[in-house]
């Protein structure tokens, strides 16, 4: 592989449920603290840069989860959501500053506006799509100054603070880096002005390139140097045939009624990104490969990121490189089940990135390699190519 740009690989904590199959209790796993610890420790030891913790009423609280996992990890970063409109910016800044100090500077902040009007009303938010992004812009105007140590007086349409300040600063000098995703024009404008890393869900290269170019041009006009990330699932096996078979098994228990039920929930949302995800599969199991090795089956019943890279290790690397060529440096992956697939991805894919700039892979352990069980209690196994 030819080294391209710096690369950061993330994994995911399934605080909304976990299993071997989608849309069924068959093969489901209990998401306990012990299990989340196993995933976090695995991600930490395998060389992942960080983990994304999801947010929403279907998830365990992301801040409490991250706090519970700090002490069992060493280098792993935690990408945790702030929720404009649900949290005041002063409270969010205090929470972020505290968790950054407790983790010794391992916090990343994901700004989530929220796209389900029904869930929002349950949280006391009765604003439409446009108004929520106005709140987000005001929230960030206050939050960013606070986290940098400034005292803030602010009077906006939705947010009003006087003499707001942080007494205890974060570890990271300018505060934890801000991540943000969204596909609407309002979202792209906010990303261009306020955000450090713009995130997109996994779409075909052309669509991703259009979004990146759009927000990058706006960021340049604002004097903001953006980085870019992408959120994808991954199904990697030693051969492409095995990977496709694993993808089909993942949705093998989905029936039309379950898919229709999920799609009706997604249809009520006012998220542009969610609408783009639905358009990729149109609620049907037919023609789920929408681009080379890009499969839309997960989005049949999962909200948010609904696409996966499916293939053999070299195919996965090739697709990652294509996204890298668009300017993406941060890849947030997940796989079902998350503990098993973290190891599989690390074993099959990560070695192909051994010379990639910016990627810090583990170099030693109790068995310093070559890895594998000793043969006949006397001979270490031969080292073979990762592919």
């Amino acid at each position: 592989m030819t080294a391209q740009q710096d690369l950061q690989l993330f994994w995911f904590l399934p605080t909304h449920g976990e299993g071997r199959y989608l849309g069924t209790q068959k093969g489901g796993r209990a998401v306990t603290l012990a299990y989340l610890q196993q995933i976090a420790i695995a991600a930490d030891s395998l060389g992942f840069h960080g983990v994304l913790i999801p947010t929403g009423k279907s998830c365990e609280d992301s801040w409490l989860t991250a706090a519970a996992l700090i002490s069992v990890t060493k280098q792993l970063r935690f990408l945790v959501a702030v929720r404009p409109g649900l949290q005041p910016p002063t409270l969010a800044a205090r929470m972020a500053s505290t968790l950054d100090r407790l983790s010794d500077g391992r916090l990343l902040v994901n700004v989530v506006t929220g796209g389900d009007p029904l869930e929002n009303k349950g949280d006391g938010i009765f604003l439409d799509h446009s108004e929520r992004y106005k709140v987000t812009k005001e929230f960030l105007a206050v939050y960013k100054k606070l986290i940098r140590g400034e005292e803030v007086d602010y009077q906006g349409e939705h947010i009003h603070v006087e003499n707001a300040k942080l007494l205890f600063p974060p570890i990271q000098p300018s505060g934890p880096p801000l991540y943000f995703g969204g596909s609407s024009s309002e979202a792209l404008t906010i990303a261009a002005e306020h955000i450090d890393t713009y995130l997109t869900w996994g779409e075909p290269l052309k669509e991703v390139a259009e979004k990146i170019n759009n927000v990058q041009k706006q960021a340049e006009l604002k004097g903001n140097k953006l980085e870019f990330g992408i959120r994808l699932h991954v199904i990697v096996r030693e051969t492409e045939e095995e990977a496709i078979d694993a993808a089909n098994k993942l949705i093998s228990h989905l029936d039309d009624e379950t898919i229709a039920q999920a799609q009706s929930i997604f249809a009520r949302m006012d998220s542009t990104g969610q609408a783009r995800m639905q358009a990729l599969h149109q609620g049907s199991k037919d023609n789920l490969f929408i681009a080379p090795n890009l499969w839309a089956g997960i989005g049949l019943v999962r909200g948010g990121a609904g696409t996966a890279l499916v293939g053999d290790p070299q195919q996965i690397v090739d697709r990652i490189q294509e996204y890298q060529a668009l300017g993406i440096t941060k890849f947030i992956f997940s796989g079902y089940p998350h503990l098993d697939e973290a190891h599989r991805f690390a074993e099959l894919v990560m070695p192909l990135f051994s010379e990639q700039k910016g990627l810090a892979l583990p170099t030693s352990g109790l068995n310093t390699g070559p890895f594998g069980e000793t043969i006949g209690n006397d001979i270490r196994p031969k080292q073979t190519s990762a592919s």
Side-chain angles (χ1 to χ4, degrees):
M1 171 184 169
T2 302
Q4 297 185 20
Q5 306 173 67
D6 287 7
L7 176 66
Q8 293 176 353
L9 298 174
F10 290 70
W11 201 244
F12 183 84
L13 293 180
T15 61
H16 48 33
E18 165 76 315
R20 291 188 174 276
Y21 307 100
L22 292 176
T24 177
Q25 292 186 358
K26 183 179 176 63
R29 292 185 179 181
V31 179
T32 61
L33 176 58
Y35 184 61
L36 292 172
Q37 286 175 332
Q38 290 179 63
I39 299 173
I41 291 170
D44 196 21
S45 63
L46 293 170
F48 287 96
H49 182 78
V51 286
L52 170 64
I53 308 179
T55 186
K57 73 176 183 181
S58 65
C59 310
E60 299 285 7
D61 181 79
S62 58
W63 289 87
L64 294 177
T65 299
L69 298 174
I70 289 170
S71 63
V72 299
T73 53
K74 298 177 181 178
Q75 303 296 324
L76 195 69
R77 284 85 166 172
F78 295 91
L79 181 52
V80 185
V82 294
R83 299 294 303 272
L86 191 57
Q87 295 168 293
T90 46
L91 175 61
R94 286 198 293 270
M95 292 171 64
S97 182
T98 296
L99 192 54
D100 198 49
R101 291 195 307 277
L102 293 177
S103 65
D104 197 23
R106 290 190 281 139
L107 176 64
L108 307 170
V109 170
N110 188 23
V111 181
V112 177
T113 299
D116 184 347
L118 193 61
E119 180 176 335
N120 288 335
K121 290 176 182 178
D123 286 330
I125 301 172
F126 294 85
L127 301 173
D128 64 20
H129 181 275
S130 179
E131 289 295 311
R132 291 201 310 276
Y133 278 100
K134 289 180 181 178
V135 172
T136 300
K137 187 172 183 178
E138 292 184 15
F139 174 99
L140 289 171
V142 175
Y143 171 91
K144 289 176 68 177
K145 289 182 178 180
L146 286 172
I147 209 76
R148 292 196 300 258
E150 299 179 30
E151 187 173 311
V152 182
D153 292 305
Y154 184 89
Q155 175 68 68
E157 182 181 349
H158 298 278
I159 292 175
H160 178 197
V161 299
E162 296 179 3
N163 193 33
K165 59 184 177 181
L166 280 182
L167 295 180
F168 308 107
I171 291 287
Q172 299 177 79
S174 297
L178 294 176
Y179 288 62
F180 177 83
S183 296
S184 66
S185 59
E186 295 98 330
L188 298 184
T189 298
I190 287 174
E193 183 174 1
H194 292 286
I195 301 302
D196 300 302
T197 296
Y198 172 73
L199 295 173
T200 179
W201 288 331
E203 299 179 32
L205 292 169
K206 180 181 177 182
E207 286 80 356
V208 171
E210 289 173 352
K211 278 202 291 187
I212 286 178
N213 291 337
N214 187 333
V215 72
Q216 190 165 40
K217 288 178 182 177
Q218 293 188 54
E220 289 172 354
L221 292 175
K222 298 289 186 179
N224 182 21
K225 188 175 182 180
L226 270 177
E227 296 185 68
F228 297 95
I230 191 167
R231 172 77 180 96
L232 286 157
H233 305 274
V234 62
I235 301 173
V236 61
R237 298 294 185 269
E238 293 187 27
T239 68
E240 182 180 19
E241 182 179 2
E242 290 174 312
I244 293 173
D245 183 57
N248 289 330
K249 284 183 179 178
L250 182 63
I251 61 171
S252 61
H253 294 277
L254 286 185
D255 54 33
D256 292 340
E257 182 181 354
T258 301
I259 294 172
Q261 185 178 20
Q263 294 303 306
S264 67
I265 294 172
F266 302 151
R268 78 185 184 207
M269 298 181 182
D270 59 9
S271 164
T272 302
Q274 185 62 61
R276 291 170 68 116
M277 283 287 102
Q278 285 181 273
L280 296 176
H281 54 68
Q282 299 180 340
S284 171
K285 284 186 176 183
D286 299 330
N287 304 316
L288 289 174
F289 277 96
I290 56 174
N293 304 108
L294 184 62
W295 183 74
I298 293 172
L300 291 171
V301 290
R302 185 196 191 279
T307 54
L309 295 183
V310 178
D312 65 40
Q314 189 57 55
Q315 288 174 321
I316 300 301
V317 170
D318 290 344
R319 302 292 83 78
I320 290 174
Q321 285 185 301
E322 289 172 350
Y323 284 117
Q324 277 187 285
L326 301 181
I328 292 174
T329 58
K330 304 169 194 293
F331 291 78
I332 304 174
F333 287 116
S334 56
Y336 298 92
H338 288 74
L339 179 60
D340 311 50
E341 294 304 311
H343 280 279
R344 195 190 304 271
F345 184 89
E347 292 160 4
L348 295 179
V349 178
M350 281 188 176
L352 301 183
F353 286 106
S354 60
E355 297 181 1
Q356 170 75 52
K357 181 181 177 184
L359 186 63
L361 298 178
T363 56
S364 65
L366 293 178
N367 289 321
T368 57
F371 297 101
E373 184 176 335
T374 302
I375 299 168
N377 298 332
D378 188 54
I379 305 168
R380 296 298 288 147
K382 295 179 181 179
Q383 189 166 9
T384 58
S385 169
S387 60

